[in-house]
Amino acid sequence: MDVIINGFLFGLLLCVLIGPVFFALIQNSIEKGFWSGFFMAIGIALSDSFYIVVTYLGISQFVENPKFNMWLGGVGGVIMLIFGVIYLFKPVPKKGLKQLHQEDTKWFQQIVKGFLLNGINPFVLLFWLGIISKVTLDFEYNNNQAITFFVVLIATVFLVDVLKSYFATKLSQIVTPRFMKIMNRVVGIALLLFSLRLFNFVLVAYGIELF
């Protein structure tokens, strides 16, 4: 149950990341309708799943090595720290979302669009590396628990993305510069706290414990 709850909470955290994909999904839904956003959300979920599989498989074979775990904790902590600082001080665009005419949905094109838009961003891979270091070192999940965690996480993100598509018109009015600024600060603080947990793992290996 703890694994499921953590997967759900991390999924919600990812849902409030105010980035290019967030705006692209809402704008695409406004311009071309719900189903266009729905298929784009599928592409985003497939892209995230691909990164998770590649990253986790690349790391899991080394988790029994204490030195590798220290390196992983340090790298994961730095990644979380950088993302936390970025979101704390991230500038907020002043322009809102515009509602345009709807067009016919080309489902395969929208899936590819979501996959590429999310996948070509190098920060996505780095972010998943940070999340996986958290799962491996802090939560200490075995393979079955990790799979459950990521399935729940991706399912949560996908369902919320579908809701974003459904309520796209209303979201375009709600996502004001002030709202975006608050969300960025919340996400930034959460990521900074996660980074401290990972740094603590490394320090504990040297006999130093922060908390």
Side-chain angles (χ1 to χ4, degrees):
M1 184 59 66
D2 289 340
V3 176
I4 294 175
I5 293 174
N6 284 334
F8 176 73
L9 293 177
F10 267 81
L12 291 180
L13 175 66
L14 292 181
C15 290
V16 297
L17 291 178
I18 308 296
V21 175
F22 179 93
F23 286 107
L25 178 66
I26 297 177
Q27 189 71 56
N28 195 50
S29 301
I30 292 174
E31 293 179 2
K32 301 179 181 180
F34 166 75
W35 287 109
S36 179
F38 176 85
F39 288 118
M40 186 176 177
I42 292 178
I44 294 170
L46 291 175
S47 177
D48 283 333
S49 300
F50 173 77
Y51 273 131
I52 290 171
V53 171
V54 171
T55 309
Y56 186 73
L57 290 179
I59 288 176
S60 60
Q61 56 186 316
F62 300 107
V63 294
E64 300 300 328
N65 188 323
K67 290 185 178 180
F68 177 81
N69 286 344
M70 289 176 57
W71 173 85
L72 181 62
V75 172
V78 170
I79 291 173
M80 290 288 188
L81 177 64
I82 292 174
F83 273 98
V85 173
I86 288 174
Y87 274 92
L88 276 177
F89 299 99
K90 187 176 182 178
V92 175
K94 297 181 180 180
K95 295 183 179 180
L97 297 164
K98 297 180 180 179
Q99 185 167 1
L100 304 176
H101 62 282
Q102 294 190 0
E103 301 176 1
D104 292 335
T105 300
K106 298 179 180 179
W107 65 270
F108 183 75
Q109 178 180 333
Q110 294 305 322
I111 291 176
V112 173
K113 180 179 179 180
F115 186 94
L116 293 179
L117 185 64
N118 191 60
I120 62 176
N121 187 349
F123 290 106
V124 174
L125 176 59
L126 291 176
F127 190 82
W128 281 117
L129 180 59
I131 294 292
I132 287 174
S133 63
K134 178 79 174 175
V135 169
T136 304
L137 301 179
D138 193 6
F139 294 158
E140 297 181 340
Y141 290 159
N142 58 36
N143 287 338
N144 290 334
Q145 290 173 322
I147 291 173
T148 302
F149 172 87
F150 287 120
V151 167
V152 174
L153 189 156
I154 293 297
T156 301
V157 173
F158 174 72
L159 290 175
V160 174
D161 280 347
V162 170
L163 289 176
K164 290 176 186 176
S165 298
Y166 184 77
F167 294 106
T169 304
K170 294 182 179 179
L171 282 173
S172 67
Q173 301 170 358
I174 295 173
V175 183
T176 62
R178 176 177 173 79
F179 175 85
M180 292 164 57
K181 185 175 182 179
I182 293 173
M183 287 296 98
N184 284 341
R185 299 299 182 271
V186 171
V187 172
I189 292 173
L191 294 176
L192 288 176
L193 293 176
F194 292 151
S195 72
L196 290 177
R197 289 282 299 179
L198 290 173
F199 287 139
N200 183 64
F201 176 86
V202 177
L203 293 175
V204 167
Y206 286 100
I208 306 172
E209 189 168 356
L210 293 177
F211 48 85

